[in-house]
Amino acid sequence: MSSTETLEIKNYIGLTGDKPIRFIASDVDGTLVNDAKSIPDDAIEAIRAARESGIRVAIASGRAWNEMNDVIEKLPCLRYFMCTNGAYVMDKDENRTLFHVTFDKEQALYLLRKLLTYGVYVEAYVKDKIYGMYPPSRCITPERLCACADERNNSDTKSSHSVMDNYISADTEGHLPGETHDHYALAEGDEAANTNMSECEVEQANFFFRPNIRPFILATRTMVPDLLAHMEALDEGPEKMQIFYGDEPMRQRILQDLRDEYQGMSHDGTGRERFYDVLLSSEGNLEFVLPHTTKGTAVEALANHWGFSPDEVMSLGDSENDLSMLRFADASVAMGNGKPNIKEAARYVTTDNNHQGVAKAIYSAIAYNNELLKK
């Protein structure tokens, strides 16, 4: 449940230093949005106040560009979006791609073939599209269903042939709490997202996607019957690949098989070139990304473009894919809902994403800058 505390321009997190904050980069999921996937009004007001005070604000997210509609709608003042963990950077106002880097196609296909052997939902990020594929239904064994049920003992267990109808109450008119009609209109032109799903597809969606993100996933993905064939037909590789594993034993198995101790490095201990990192997330997914293309490199590039040093940058995040930008910015702020290693990496900690964490951090930056002006 979101907090309703009335906020003011105040240094809630105890920012210190001798240079003003000129640039704030914020993550989206688990940070800017609350657990209902809505951007709280206090965060919107804080971002507007920051911009009015002269601070630049940009988004740095693992989301693809086509998943940013809700952010753009609520915050039309924002111009720069570092998408897909920094692999796809957009200037919204000019509708222009500033930066775009992809996996080598053959390496991506090699990794995709591996991922498809695990019986999980797999997807590939290609510019403004996310192509996804469910595994054969036989992959969801009774043992995996039990493991998943134990993990989600508070989730909705109703049965329906329409997942979009099943998990959204009637009084929301088909949208998540706080979300808008235009955001979910993304799905209206997508036959796969707009048509009632088969029993098998419902079972797959219920198993792999948690209730709070399920409508968003179904509204923003393009499902394909053969992801490998689809990717083979494209001219280039994806910016990112991602899986939703469904149950914790499968997550552990994949991490043991595919994640090594050389995260972020170009070579492993034997000198062999590495072409992907595996990032942990909090929504039942694992991200497979390029080792040297991160939110941190994107934030650093924008900061350099504007002539800002790391001690003039604030970054806000909650998950492992935020570590790179938390390490870059001197004013690194972890969300209260972040894991211990995220909080340890950050210099400051704010409240969680349901209790005005982003707003308090941003108001802290404004208050801190005001204090510097008085010196």
Side-chain angles (χ1 to χ4, degrees), residues 172-229:
T172 62
E173 297 182 359
H175 316 306
L176 277 174
E179 296 295 343
T180 63
H181 175 78
D182 287 345
H183 174 50
Y184 284 97
L186 280 171
E188 290 181 358
D190 185 342
E191 183 179 351
N194 200 40
T195 303
N196 282 351
M197 301 166 67
S198 69
E199 287 188 22
C200 178
E201 290 170 323
V202 170
E203 180 187 51
Q204 299 269 27
N206 288 353
F207 181 75
F208 290 110
F209 309 138
R210 295 176 178 178
N212 67 313
I213 64 168
R214 193 175 297 127
F216 181 78
I217 295 291
L218 296 176
T220 53
R221 268 56 176 175
T222 300
M223 299 297 181
V224 295
D226 187 337
L227 184 58
L228 181 60

Side-chain angles (χ1 to χ4, degrees), residues 107-125:
Q107 288 180 329
L109 292 174
Y110 171 80
L111 176 58
L112 178 57
R113 290 187 184 97
K114 278 191 170 184
L115 295 176
L116 291 173
T117 66
Y118 288 98
V120 296
Y121 169 85
V122 186
E123 60 186 18
Y125 284 56

Side-chain angles (χ1 to χ4, degrees), residues 57-75:
V57 182
I59 295 297
S61 175
R63 289 189 183 190
W65 176 234
N66 81 318
E67 297 179 283
M68 293 295 182
N69 287 49
D70 56 336
V71 180
I72 294 169
E73 180 183 301
K74 292 288 188 72
L75 289 163

